[in-house]
Amino acid sequence: MAADLDNSYVQAPCGQPATYDWTGAYVGGHAGVASSHLNPFSDGKGLAAGAQAGYNLQFNSAVLGAEVEGAHLGGADQNVHGGKLEEQWRLAAKAKVGVGLDKTLLYGTAGYAMTKFDNGNNIRRGPGWEGGYLVGGGVEQAFGNGLSAKVEYNYIMTPDVKTTTDAGTTRADINSHVIKAGINLRF
């Protein structure tokens, strides 16, 4: 009976492994394709490249964040009545909401974007910088030493863009799609 009183042979329960914490500041860079069409292989696309900085807060598995980014869009074509505009630069401020699945973050994003348009074919007077709305989503995978990689899609709608061509002055909504991959460093 005395042998039954000794529990030393029973292993202590294992602790839960620590999950990745997405809280903190980060900086990074990205590259991809900007286009007026969802298909990134369509004509009129531009190679996009830029940088981003942001901050995330994690509550259990929920992740909230804010990010600013700037990108060169490589002259992606946008058709307007009687001509073409070229998207050259974009600045954006956006909020992020996601779910952290340990080292994987699935998120949606929404915000405000300023796009610099240059005159393309047959444009006599273009709009310059115009403001619009951004929505999108992505997935980010964390690695060691604060590094993570992401793939993100953004849809940008710039309303009521005024251009003057030989056909006259018109206003149009400009829709843009950006598919990009990037790397972030958390600190």
Side-chain angles (χ1 to χ4, degrees):
M1 280 178 31
D4 291 338
L5 295 176
D6 182 16
N7 290 348
S8 63
Y9 63 90
V10 177
Q11 280 188 329
C14 294
Q16 291 290 338
T19 60
Y20 188 80
D21 187 4
W22 289 93
T23 297
Y26 62 90
V27 296
H30 62 267
V33 176
S35 175
S36 60
H37 305 285
L38 183 55
N39 179 357
F41 303 106
S42 64
D43 291 337
K45 64 186 170 292
L47 296 178
Q52 67 271 353
Y55 191 88
N56 290 330
L57 290 171
Q58 184 167 350
F59 307 96
N60 295 320
S61 63
V63 178
L64 303 175
E67 183 176 280
V68 293
E69 72 176 26
H72 183 265
L73 302 174
D77 289 340
Q78 291 289 344
N79 292 325
V80 293
H81 182 71
K84 287 186 181 184
L85 291 174
E86 294 179 352
E87 292 180 309
Q88 291 296 329
W89 296 95
R90 181 166 293 128
L91 303 173
K94 51 191 180 177
K96 290 170 50 175
V97 176
V99 60
L101 306 170
D102 194 20
K103 291 188 173 189
T104 303
L105 175 63
L106 301 173
Y107 62 91
T109 187
Y112 187 75
M114 292 289 295
T115 303
K116 168 74 166 77
F117 294 97
D118 282 349
N119 296 348
N121 295 343
N122 300 324
I123 302 292
R124 287 201 273 158
R125 189 168 18 146
W129 286 95
E130 291 287 330
Y133 308 100
L134 178 151
V135 295
V139 61
E140 190 166 352
Q141 180 66 42
F143 304 106
N145 300 323
L147 285 176
S148 62
K150 70 176 184 175
V151 175
E152 184 174 308
Y153 164 78
N154 294 145
Y155 169 77
I156 300 90
M157 199 278 281
T158 309
D160 208 28
V161 176
K162 181 179 176 182
T163 56
T164 302
T165 66
D166 292 337
T169 299
T170 60
R171 293 184 178 272
D173 295 343
I174 303 291
N175 301 308
S176 181
H177 305 271
V178 180
I179 299 171
K180 56 191 169 186
I183 295 177
N184 287 327
L185 176 62
R186 292 180 197 292
F187 48 92

